[in-house]
Amino acid sequence: MSMDSIVSLCKRRGFLFQSSEIYGGLQGFWDYGPLGVELKRNVKEAWWSDMVTAHDDMSTLAGAPSPYAMEGLDCTIIMHPQVWKCSGHYDLFHDFMVDCRETKKRYRHDQLNGRWVEAKGNKIFVTAPASDEEQGHMTKRALKFFNLRNKHIDDLKWEGESTCLTEMTSFEEVLGPDAKTLGTLTEPREFNLMFKTYVGALSGEEGAAYLRPETAQGIFVNFKNVLDSTRHRLPLGIAQIGKSFRNEITPRNFTFRSREFEQMEIEFFCHPDQSKDWYMYWRDRRLKWYHEMGIDSGNLIMREHSPKELAHYSIGTADIEYAFPFMAEGEYGELEGVSHRGDFDLRSHMEGKLDEKSNPLTLQLGDDGKPKWKGSGKDLNYRDDLTNDKYTPHVIEPSAGADRATLAFLCEAYTVDQQPDDKGKMQERIVMKLHPRLAPIKAAILPLVKKDGMPELSKEIYLDLKKHFNVFYDEKGAVGRRYRRSDEAGTPYCITVDGQTLEDKTVTIRERDTTEQSRIKIDECEQVIRDRINNG
Ligand code: ATP
């Protein structure tokens, strides 16, 4: 299945639109249409219900070291600027960019690869964006640069393997990915990913603030408030769903890398001695959730970060990754990161500095040798009132993207199969096999024909079911066509009112995936739909 067919279905059926499309769109921003908004709400509601409100805090769940509590939070997008200084985002949340003086294009320093090549007595380092096709791109560029024809491809003498531009110390011999001359790339420059804004009437630096690049910090700074107001003992998880903003340099792959997106994050606070067990618990729990929501295990992997990849404070991180159709064969894109953050965050907000084990970059010492960013100075430690044990809790963070999850569910659901039409002839059908909990519309109510009182009765059933579920009434066109339309929208059930309904008050209920139909009483519709949604 190609990404193009999914993107086109999303637009055609109203799942996703480009933001500000009538003005040519804005890169990295997407709007959810009528079906998309319901789907994404259902993704967030399923997460919130499974992780927070329906969480069983009385039992020890499979794999968990003990019972635990869960609470929710909804914090502001703009927070005190000091939050981002102490979290490290102000100083460290950036990408390095190189500009091309010739083409005025800008590239991420770590996303350009290059290789030395010699021809006609000249040696250059030819670059291309890192990808499966980079060698083809480099060859084309080298032929052009040396003014060689395709048939002279063997005159190009390649040296060494392809390496990242970050390995180069001088750019004089470098041919930029789109440049005609050598040495047009600038030195790498830092580019902070946080969107800046100004609070109040102050337009100078005193009023400067940032749109949050993650929801997590709101949870850390409220840790004590939640603890005090709920009187929970640890372990405790605090969850938040909300918008985050990152001025991504290269937004791409539909909603996968956007500049405005939603996160679903949990910060799980526990005793340091148990944190490794909790880390293992959350990795497995979160992977299982995607399986339960209908993602085939063959398309999902858990990738443990190598020690080199780990953030300096992280004791362990595992990404849950999905085989998105836009990735190369065998490659996966991150849906969620589960990381063991130790006591890094609470300590930073207390002290504004980090311990000696941390990366020296984050020590942030000022000229006087004192920590550059002051923490809140508040005591964010935890005292267990039963044991009197006092400690800085460790944190496990399962951090998911609502938009990436929604995109993965869309990709996973997209299916093309063959089904008989009204006349029994096999026809290709596009069906979105979304989990019934996630499906934007739960049932379509269809009168078989537009006469004999069928529309009137259908409307009665529709209005009754509407009180409980998002349902849809459709009387336009042949019933087979209406089934197809609802299959494409991912609607799991079609309720059809036919001649027999008028006699015995029964309707047919058709299953989207199997197209099987059975008869149920009108009075049973609500319960049958509810049971089937819950049983997936
Ligand atoms: P990536 O490496 O893909 O940029 P990340 O490691 O920076 O992601 P985190 O900071 O761990 O991502 O954010 C947690 C989750 O938030 C990610 O797993 C992803 O689902 C989501 N997310 C992060 N950046 C974006 C984005 N630009 N667009 C959409 N979702 C995002």
Side-chain angles (χ1 to χ4, degrees):
M1 150 249 325
S2 77
M3 198 60 210
D4 287 349
S5 23
I6 296 172
V7 173
S8 108
L9 177 128
C10 283
K11 162 114 210 247
R12 184 158 43 84
R13 294 309 311 265
F15 281 99
L16 278 155
F17 307 127
Q18 207 183 2
S19 162
S20 327
E21 196 187 87
I22 60 165
Y23 289 104
L26 187 61
Q27 236 200 335
F29 296 91
W30 296 92
D31 295 337
Y32 286 81
L35 288 181
V37 65
E38 293 294 334
L39 171 63
K40 189 169 155 192
R41 272 169 57 107
N42 292 341
V43 169
K44 291 186 287 181
E45 275 172 25
W47 183 90
W48 191 262
S49 161
D50 293 349
M51 296 301 123
V52 188
T53 47
H55 162 66
D56 172 1
D57 55 352
M58 304 279 169
S59 323
T60 301
L61 303 181
S66 69
Y68 62 92
M70 288 294 300
E71 293 290 350
L73 204 58
D74 185 15
C75 309
T76 58
I77 285 168
I78 296 176
M79 299 170 73
H80 195 293
Q82 200 66 14
V83 169
W84 307 111
K85 293 187 174 158
C86 290
S87 71
H89 286 85
Y90 183 81
D91 294 289
L92 296 169
F93 194 55
H94 51 219
D95 284 336
F96 280 93
M97 306 300 299
V98 292
D99 288 307
C100 178
R101 292 188 200 93
E102 182 189 313
T103 63
K104 308 288 173 235
K105 290 198 175 171
R106 176 171 280 182
Y107 311 91
R108 247 176 76 171
H109 188 209
D110 61 349
Q111 283 181 356
L112 288 187
N113 282 348
R115 239 182 124 183
W116 286 105
V117 59
E118 195 178 337
K120 299 184 173 175
N122 256 338
K123 197 160 122 183
I124 65 166
F125 188 79
V126 58
T127 59
S131 77
D132 275 1
E133 284 111 47
E134 66 185 31
Q135 184 56 49
H137 190 79
M138 286 178 201
T139 307
K140 261 198 222 145
R141 306 276 301 123
L143 286 172
K144 189 128 198 225
F145 180 83
F146 290 115
N147 215 352
L148 291 171
R149 287 165 178 257
N150 247 340
K151 60 181 179 191
H152 296 125
I153 201 161
D154 293 340
D155 290 358
L156 295 176
K157 301 285 172 243
W158 295 95
E159 218 175 80
E161 295 297 308
S162 152
T163 48
C164 187
L165 191 65
T166 50
E167 304 288 315
M168 297 289 287
T169 45
S170 148
F171 290 172
E172 267 169 45
E173 263 75 57
V174 172
L175 181 66
D178 302 285
K180 291 199 185 86
T181 45
L182 293 181
T184 59
L185 295 184
T186 62
E187 286 295 305
R189 279 196 283 253
E190 283 177 47
F191 187 90
N192 197 298
L193 297 183
M194 282 198 293
F195 281 96
K196 195 172 187 179
T197 186
Y198 296 91
V199 174
L202 299 169
S203 60
E205 280 311 294
E206 315 99 275
Y210 302 90
L211 306 193
R212 67 179 174 199
E214 60 172 35
T215 57
Q217 297 305 322
I219 303 182
F220 294 124
V221 300
N222 275 296
F223 168 63
K224 264 287 156 83
N225 282 337
V226 175
L227 210 56
D228 294 345
S229 56
T230 60
R231 304 165 54 115
H232 280 304
R233 295 181 61 223
L234 295 195
L236 164 69
I238 306 178
Q240 171 161 224
I241 297 181
K243 288 255 172 155
S244 291
F245 300 80
R246 296 183 187 178
N247 203 358
E248 299 277 3
I249 314 290
T250 43
R252 66 197 145 139
N253 291 335
F254 209 15
T255 56
F256 181 83
R257 189 168 302 287
S258 313
R259 289 179 165 143
E260 174 174 342
F261 55 97
E262 260 181 294
Q263 291 186 306
M264 310 188 287
E265 295 196 292
I266 297 171
E267 304 305 322
F268 187 81
F269 301 89
C270 60
H271 193 288
D273 291 351
Q274 282 191 334
S275 57
K276 285 225 169 84
D277 296 339
W278 282 114
Y279 170 58
M280 296 312 286
Y281 167 74
W282 279 107
R283 286 165 82 243
D284 300 344
R285 173 92 183 82
R286 292 300 309 144
L287 183 71
K288 195 160 153 251
W289 187 80
Y290 291 99
H291 290 159
E292 287 165 357
M293 290 297 114
I295 300 213
D296 184 75
S297 47
N299 290 334
L300 211 56
I301 57 162
M302 170 90 82
R303 193 177 64 81
E304 193 78 46
H305 283 206
S306 66
K308 220 173 107 196
E309 246 182 301
L310 286 181
H312 60 91
Y313 48 79
S314 183
I315 297 171
T317 296
D319 287 344
I320 298 172
E321 301 183 337
Y322 178 71
F324 283 101
F326 48 77
M327 313 284 311
E329 182 73 27
E331 285 191 15
Y332 296 79
E334 175 180 329
L335 285 184
E336 169 160 354
V338 182
S339 77
H340 184 318
R341 301 180 60 91
D343 62 4
F344 173 83
D345 307 276
L346 289 179
R347 290 228 295 129
S348 313
H349 286 303
M350 281 192 279
E351 301 166 14
K353 74 172 179 73
L354 306 162
D355 67 323
E356 301 68 44
K357 285 186 298 205
S358 311
N359 182 332
L361 258 179
T362 58
L363 273 170
Q364 300 301 338
L365 297 183
D367 294 340
D368 55 1
K370 295 211 175 109
K372 197 156 137 204
W373 309 125
K374 273 216 224 96
S376 63
K378 298 276 183 307
D379 182 4
L380 303 180
N381 290 307
Y382 169 74
R383 182 192 292 282
D384 190 315
D385 51 9
L386 290 185
T387 61
N388 235 353
D389 197 9
K390 188 174 175 186
Y391 57 89
T392 313
H394 273 196
V395 171
I396 312 300
E397 177 188 78
S399 168
D403 308 86
R404 284 198 192 167
T406 303
L407 185 59
F409 291 127
L410 280 168
C411 295
E412 185 72 13
Y414 188 96
T415 313
V416 180
D417 66 11
Q418 299 279 330
Q419 291 295 335
D421 65 10
D422 292 345
K423 298 185 184 78
K425 204 167 140 222
M426 291 310 262
Q427 295 280 1
E428 197 175 89
R429 138 180 117 140
I430 297 175
V431 49
M432 294 299 281
K433 294 190 173 176
L434 291 163
H435 188 291
R437 278 180 79 189
L438 304 182
I441 298 167
K442 304 303 181 198
I445 321 301
L446 319 169
L448 183 65
V449 287
K450 239 161 86 178
K451 56 181 187 189
D452 302 335
M454 289 184 210
E456 290 74 13
L457 186 51
S458 304
K459 283 178 196 166
E460 261 178 52
I461 299 174
Y462 162 73
L463 288 175
D464 193 38
L465 289 175
K466 212 171 167 37
K467 294 181 200 135
H468 309 281
F469 315 104
N470 190 25
V471 289
F472 182 69
Y473 176 77
D474 190 4
E475 57 175 29
K476 289 184 219 100
V479 75
R481 296 260 312 272
R482 283 180 270 157
Y483 284 151
R484 295 297 160 88
R485 278 204 293 267
S486 70
D487 289 344
E488 234 187 24
T491 306
Y493 314 110
C494 286
I495 306 268
T496 308
V497 169
D498 55 15
Q500 198 177 323
T501 314
L502 308 172
E503 288 161 20
D504 66 3
K505 297 266 180 269
T506 63
V507 288
T508 62
I509 178 163
R510 171 188 179 269
E511 288 273 341
R512 174 195 66 199
D513 299 353
T514 59
T515 72
E516 269 165 29
Q517 300 193 22
S518 50
R519 285 205 91 82
I520 57 171
K521 295 203 186 98
I522 292 177
D523 296 349
E524 291 169 352
C525 281
E526 185 204 328
Q527 195 55 43
V528 169
I529 294 174
R530 190 177 307 286
D531 290 346
R532 293 194 189 180
I533 291 174
N534 290 335
N535 298 329

